Amino acid sequence: MAAQNDAAVTQALTQAGASGPWWMWPLILLFFCFILGIIAVLAGVGGGVLYVPLVSGFFPFHLDFVRGAGLMVALAGALAAGPGLLKRNLASLRLALPVALIASSCAIVGAMIGLALPTNVVQIALGATILFIAILILKSKNVAVPEVKNPDALGIALGMNGVYHDASSGQDYAWKTHRTLPGLLMFIIIGVMAGMFGLGAGWANVPVLNLMMGVPLKVAVGTSKFLLSITDTSAAWVYLNQGCVIPLMAIPSIVGLMFGSFVGVRLLAKAKPKFIRYMVIGVLLFAGAKALLKGLGIG
């Protein structure tokens, strides 16, 4: 029985494009994702947005398997954080449910598109997207509590408002949304990209919720994390159904990132946010360029 399992794992890794003994890659991936988990916490970004470009660029796995594992990584983190965020009123169900309906439906479409397109096309699109994300992080300046003077009718009708308690300041903040329709339309694009590239979508959720729709930053971050547990689940089923999730890739990745996150939380108080932010931007620029060149057959 053990010999059959080893043979099945070896065959799966061979299909993914990996060489060498099968047990070597899970160990390397475990250590790699441990470091990645530390960086993700210090930088305030989701593990998926770093996982997919870096693993696809430096590991000999097929991109479909990397994207499937990337969704499972993002999903694991979201499921772990979701209940606590809801309990602390930092994730809003009224805000999340309409957005989740749009984003999760589009994530299924994105996953199907990603699996149907040639790998080099997806790799080029992934590289361009990662470069865009790096520039977005560099340019973005989130607002802690945006001022919304005139909430729109759609936001009022959907009940997109609430009050949250900021423990750091000891104050309660009432919030509501504006530009709700353009914001919801943006989640069509975000959902497709999340499913297509297996990145999760925290990097895009927060700017749209915070800067476009006027949601306070902490509520935007909390709701975004909760959203991933719905959006990524939809896309992950497509990859699971197509056999693109290998346990020997997904499990070490999730475990490594989880343990790395615990260490990252402890280091967060001592780290210099500005240095970490620019370090992650540099890593994303490098990973995006590598993915782009790999898709073009150069790198």
Side-chain angles (χ1 to χ4, degrees):
M1 186 68 178
Q4 290 179 350
N5 290 338
D6 289 352
V9 171
T10 303
Q11 182 181 1
L13 289 175
T14 302
Q15 185 182 359
S19 59
W22 67 266
W23 50 264
M24 177 180 72
W25 296 106
L27 288 176
I28 297 173
L29 200 57
L30 178 68
F31 178 75
F32 182 82
C33 289
F34 175 76
I35 303 300
L36 210 61
I38 296 174
I39 296 172
V41 170
L42 295 178
V45 298
V49 75
L50 294 173
Y51 179 89
V52 176
L54 291 175
V55 173
S56 66
F58 295 101
F59 284 76
F61 298 121
H62 191 280
L63 184 60
D64 289 349
F65 294 93
V66 177
R67 287 182 292 164
L71 281 170
M72 300 305 289
V73 164
L75 178 58
L79 289 172
L85 292 169
L86 286 171
K87 185 177 180 180
R88 291 171 176 80
N89 208 28
L90 290 176
S92 169
L93 277 176
R94 290 184 177 182
L95 178 63
L97 291 180
V99 172
L101 178 63
I102 296 170
S104 59
S105 302
C106 293
I108 295 172
V109 175
M112 295 173 69
I113 292 172
L115 290 171
L117 289 174
T119 302
N120 66 314
V121 174
V122 178
Q123 194 86 50
I124 292 169
L126 172 64
T129 302
I130 294 300
L131 292 174
F132 171 74
I133 293 170
I135 295 170
L136 183 68
I137 294 174
L138 181 63
K139 296 291 185 181
S140 65
K141 294 180 180 179
N142 295 324
V143 181
V145 185
E147 184 179 356
V148 178
K149 294 181 178 179
N150 299 308
D152 55 25
L154 181 59
I156 294 172
L158 292 175
M160 290 185 173
N161 55 71
V163 177
Y164 88 98
H165 178 75
D166 189 348
S168 61
S169 64
Q171 295 183 353
D172 292 332
Y173 294 96
W175 61 269
K176 45 195 176 292
T177 64
H178 59 179
R179 297 192 288 267
T180 306
L181 181 59
L184 293 177
L185 293 175
M186 283 296 297
F187 281 99
I188 296 175
I189 301 171
I190 293 170
V192 171
M193 293 175 71
M196 185 173 178
F197 300 126
L199 295 175
W203 58 271
N205 290 343
V206 175
V208 171
L209 292 172
N210 178 241
L211 299 178
M212 180 176 286
M213 296 175 65
V215 178
L217 181 59
K218 289 187 177 181
V219 178
V221 171
T223 303
S224 171
K225 198 72 173 176
F226 175 74
L227 275 172
L228 293 180
S229 64
I230 303 173
T231 306
D232 289 354
T233 300
S234 303
W237 277 115
V238 178
Y239 284 89
L240 281 166
N241 187 54
Q242 295 296 321
C244 294
V245 177
I246 301 177
L248 260 293
M249 279 183 65
I251 293 173
S253 301
I254 293 170
V255 172
L257 273 160
M258 287 294 186
F259 278 109
S261 297
F262 294 146
V263 176
V265 169
R266 292 179 177 273
L267 295 177
L268 189 59
K270 301 178 182 179
K272 295 182 178 179
K274 190 173 182 180
F275 169 75
I276 296 295
R277 181 170 179 265
Y278 284 114
M279 181 187 71
V280 170
I281 290 170
V283 170
L284 287 174
L285 288 172
F286 178 73
K290 188 170 180 62
L292 193 62
L293 293 174
K294 190 173 180 179
L296 293 171
I298 301 173

